Every structure is written in C-alpha cells, then in structure tokens.
C-alpha cells in the first residue's frame, strides 16, 4: 500500500510512490527517471512492475533483448520482487522464442507475481508457452495475445499427462489466437474456481468442447470462434453471478450452408443475472422463438447485441421491459421490418446492407441512434426515405456509410435525387451529429453520382467525415457551390470549419484548396453550420 504523504515530506521520502509512477511507464522511459536523484535510481532498480516492448528494427531489437535478459537475471539473482510482467515481442527467429520461454520461467518463480501479459507477433517461427506459466500460485491475471498465420502460432499444451495447475488464485484469463489443447483448457477451467473474467478468442483450432461449469465468481465471459474447419460446442452451467456474456460461434464461410439447430450443438444456461448479452453465429438467432428465449431467461437484461445474419423471417419483434441498449448487426439482404416494444430503450445501433422499416413505441425515450450501413443492391430512394423516418425517433443520430462497392464505381442512377425530392415528406433532419463516408474511388466518379449528395437531402449533419478520396469533392462543393448533378445542399451551408493536423479547427477558406493535392490527410473532418 502506498504511504500517504504528510506535510513537509518530499516525493523521494516515499519510494512506493516513485515506483508507482515508474511502473506506469515503459521500462526505458522509467529508466530515465533514475537520473533525477539517488532515491529515484534505487526506486528504479527495484521496480516491481516490468513492461518491455521490443522494437521490430533488428539492431535495436538485439539491444533490447540483451537488456531484458540482463534485467531479469539481476532480479532473479538479487531476489527482487516482480508483481507484474508485460512483454510485447515479434518472433523472427527460433532464438527469440527460446529467450521468451526462458524469461517466462524466470518470472514464474516469483511467488509475488500477480499479472502476466504477452503480446506475440510472428514472422516465421512458432512458440510453445512453457508449463511454468500456470505454476504461479498467486497470479491473478494471465493475458496472451498472438498473431496467427496458418500453422505458425502460440501453442499452450502440457508436457504432463495430467497437467499441474497451481494458479488457483487466477481471476482473469484472456487468450487471443492461442492454440490451447483440450486437456489443458479443461484442467484450467476446473481448477481455477475463482475466475471472474474469461476471454477466449480464436482459440478453437484444437478444441471440441468449451466447458464453463461451476464457476461461482464468474462475472464476464467472452467466446469467439472463427476457425475455417470447425466450431467447438459450448457447455455453460452453474455460473450464478454471470453478468456479461459475449458469444460469436460463427465458423468462417458458413453463410448459405446448412446449419444445425443451436440447441442440438450447444448447451448454455447463463442464470438470470445477465445484464449484457452479445450473440452471433449460425443457429443462435433465427426467429421470434430465439428472441423469446432470451426475454424469458434474462429478466434483467439491459444491453443486447444480436447478429441477424441468419434471421429467417420477414419481420422481427422485440419486447423487453429492461433493455436500454440494443444493437442489431449484419442484417440480411432481404427487407425486414423491426418492431420494438422497449420502453426503457436509450441507445439503438443498426448495422447492415438494407434499411429496414422501424416501429418504436410512441413514447420512445431514445437518446441516440447509430446507423452503420453498407448499401449495395438496395440503395434507392426507399432506402433513404426509411432512414429519414428513422431519424425522427431519437435526440441524436450518427450515420456511417460504407458501401459494399468500396473499390467499385458508385451507383450512377441520376433519377434517385428527383425521386427522393418528390417523395420526401420531412425537411432535412438536424439531429445528425456525424455523417461519415467510408468510400474509396476516384472523385471524378463520385462527382457524377447522386450517392454522396442524396444523404444531404435527408439530413444536415453537424460534422462530416470523408475519406481523402472524396475530400476534393467535399471541398469543391462547400467552397465553390458547384455540382455536376442537381443537388441543392451546398447552397444551405452557411459556415464550414476543417480540422487541422494539430486537431484544432479552422474556418474553411480558399486557402484550404491545398488539401486537394496528394498531401491531403487520409480522413478529413468538416464542421457544418446550416442556414
């Protein structure tokens, strides 16, 4: 515990406080504090929290590897406590993997060790995590993040027929792209009964079943699989205090394949205390019965995210008394209607290629709507009219438009603006905080398309973010008020600001036409004030 400083005390009088400051810095940055005084030097030489980031450039990497090795040898020789150890390294040779394994063994001997964190990127070699990573009796957090290139991977197996798990104090286990064996995962989950937070992401290559059972302290559980070859089954029960569950069991390439019913593959019982739920993958959410099961089993649910990519019906109905945040992602290509009876809903997020018809209660309390749309075949006046109606439902709205024709020419249907103006019954919405265009093509093609302009017919956003490929067109419209098609919106822009590289805002003037050359930023941000 850090000593409280009394009046007249100097920072140097509290070595724990100096070490607390140093422990929040990367090792080399913390080392620079040692020149301040002898007290800082002593504090630095015994700092209990070690953070090493190995640079990729070969010469600097070799120097850093020697530095880490010498530092850990000193800590081991002088019996200096290590409470947390973080290593970020790119493995380019087998020697690098051997060093990393050796360091883990060094650190694992420390009984005071509380946290282990590894970020491992690969060049051409794999790495096996040593058994000692699970021998730290007092460790409370283990995190391993790895890149994955086919058969090059971080592997987590045991050299013993019956793995010995000593880290029974473990509270958090985060594994990302780690090829863990079925035997070892089963032993960890059955031995570490104090687990509170589990994240297993893309770790399913060697797993048949993920069993989460009899963990009374478990609060958060995340399971993501996207293995091309198979998807393990999931068994969850006796987790009475689980509050957050995120699950995406979608193998890559399953779209359009025959999918087994969810209940015949997985056995999941979450308890009734879950307040945040994220579900994605084949068979999880397909019809109203799926939604009713969620509503019945989770009476205190406040946040719900559903992957709708396998929805089978023309309409979907949501009736939840407690939901405050609802996200529907990967909406199917067919047009569907969404009917919501959610009296406490505050935040609504929609992600898909089609714009559905939305029905909310008259007394809706929505604070914020976000549409992240990827229009393709369905982009027409009806798409925009439905979006304009939806903008009436919330106090604030955010639009992110990323067309599926990202690397193709934009749609050139010149009649869409005339059709839209004829059928539009509302003036442009003024509650859109941000309109983002994620497009990538020659500006000349976009200048000949109504796609960009059509969104300004349904809303007058406060901020516009455009990719550099469309930046020139945006600048031309607001500065010169010239367009090749029948768009009126530039005439209603009264004042425009552009964000500078230093994050400050400048009033847009003719001097900013320099942004139209090749040196313009990747993204350009504009603030618009409308008449």
């Amino acid at each position: 515990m850090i000593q409280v400083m009394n009046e007249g005390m100097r920072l140097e009088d509290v070595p724990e406080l100096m070490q607390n400051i140093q422990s929040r810095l990367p090792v080399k940055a913390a080392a620079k504090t040692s020149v301040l005084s002898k007290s800082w030097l002593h504090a630095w030489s015994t700092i209990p929290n070690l953070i090493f980031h190995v640079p990729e450039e070969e010469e600097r990497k070799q120097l850093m590897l020697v530095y880490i090795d010498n530092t850990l040898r000193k800590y081991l020789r002088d019996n200096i406590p290590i409470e947390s150890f973080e290593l970020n390294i790119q493995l380019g040779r087998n020697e690098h993997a051997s060093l990393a394994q050796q360091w883990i063994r060094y650190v694992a001997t420390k009984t005071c060790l509380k946290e282990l964190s590894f970020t491992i990127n690969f060049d051409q070699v794999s790495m096996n995590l040593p058994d000692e990573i699970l021998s730290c009796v007092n460790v409370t957090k283990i995190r391993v993040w790895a890149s994955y290139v086919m058969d090059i991977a971080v592997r987590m197996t045991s050299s013993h027929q019956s793995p010995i798990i000593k880290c029974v104090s473990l509270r958090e286990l985060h594994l990302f792209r780690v090829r863990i064996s079925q035997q070892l995962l089963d032993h960890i989950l059955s031995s570490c009964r104090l687990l509170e937070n589990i994240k297993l992401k893309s770790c399913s290559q060697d797993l048949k079943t993920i069993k989460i059972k009899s963990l009374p302290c478990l609060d958060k559980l995340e399971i993501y699989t996207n293995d091309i070859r198979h998807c393990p089954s999931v068994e969850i029960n006796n987790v009475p205090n689980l509050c957050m569950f995120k699950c995406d069991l979608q193998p890559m390439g399953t779209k359009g394949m025959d999918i087994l019913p969810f209940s015949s593959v997985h056995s999941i019982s979450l308890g009734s205390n879950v307040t945040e739920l994220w579900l994605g993958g084949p068979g999880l959410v397909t019809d109203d019965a799926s939604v009713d099961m969620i509503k019945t089993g989770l009476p205190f649910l406040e946040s719900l995210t559903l992957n709708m990519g396998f929805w089978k019906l023309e309409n979907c109905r949501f009736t939840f008394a407690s939901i405050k945040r609802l996200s529907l992602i990967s909406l199917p290509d067919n047009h569907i209607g969404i009917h919501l009876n959610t009296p406490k809903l505050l935040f609504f997020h929609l992600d898909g290629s089609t714009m559905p018809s939305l029905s909310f209660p008259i007394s809706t309390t929505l604070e914020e709507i976000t549409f992240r749309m990827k229009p393709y075949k369905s982009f027409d006046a009806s798409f925009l009219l439905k979006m304009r109606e939806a903008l009436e439902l919330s106090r604030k709205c955010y639009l992110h438009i990323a067309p599926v024709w990202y690397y193709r020419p934009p749609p050139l249907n010149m009649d869409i603006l005339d059709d839209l103006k004829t059928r539009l019954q509302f003036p442009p919405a003024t509650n859109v905080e941000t309109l983002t265009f994620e497009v990538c093509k020659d500006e000349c093609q976009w200048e000949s398309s109504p796609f960009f302009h059509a969104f300004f017919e349904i809303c007058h956003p406060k901020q516009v973010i455009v990719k550099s490929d469309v930046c020139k067109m945006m600048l031309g419209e607001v500065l010169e008020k010239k367009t090749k098609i029948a768009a009126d919106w530039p005439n209603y822009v009264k004042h425009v600001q552009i964000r500078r590289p230093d994050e400050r805002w400048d009033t847009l003037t003719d001097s900013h036409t320099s942004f139209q050359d090749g040196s313009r930023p990747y993204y350009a941000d504009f603030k618009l004030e409308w008449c």
Side-chain angles (χ1 to χ4, degrees), residues 82-93:
I82 300 177
E83 294 180 3
S84 69
F85 180 74
E86 178 180 328
L87 175 66
N88 187 324
I89 186 172
Q90 178 169 343
L91 302 180
R93 299 200 297 265

Side-chain angles (χ1 to χ4, degrees), residues 347-387:
F347 303 95
F348 181 62
H349 176 94
L350 194 67
D351 178 314
S353 59
T354 59
M355 188 66 206
S357 299
L358 296 175
S359 174
F360 284 78
I362 297 177
S363 58
T364 181
T365 58
L366 271 176
E367 287 288 321
E368 182 178 304
I369 284 182
T370 301
F371 292 124
R372 188 178 182 89
M373 310 305 295
K374 308 173 184 68
Y376 183 38
K377 298 178 181 178
S378 60
F379 182 72
D380 53 18
S382 296
F383 180 103
L384 293 158
L385 290 169
K386 289 179 182 177
M387 180 172 285

Side-chain angles (χ1 to χ4, degrees), residues 299-325:
F300 305 113
L301 195 61
E302 295 183 356
S303 176
L304 176 62
T305 300
L306 298 178
N307 186 317
M308 304 291 288
F310 293 88
W311 188 261
K312 297 178 180 178
L313 308 179
E314 292 184 359
N315 294 286
C316 53
R317 302 180 183 276
F318 295 89
T319 302
F320 288 92
S322 57
I323 285 285
K324 296 180 181 178
R325 185 182 296 269

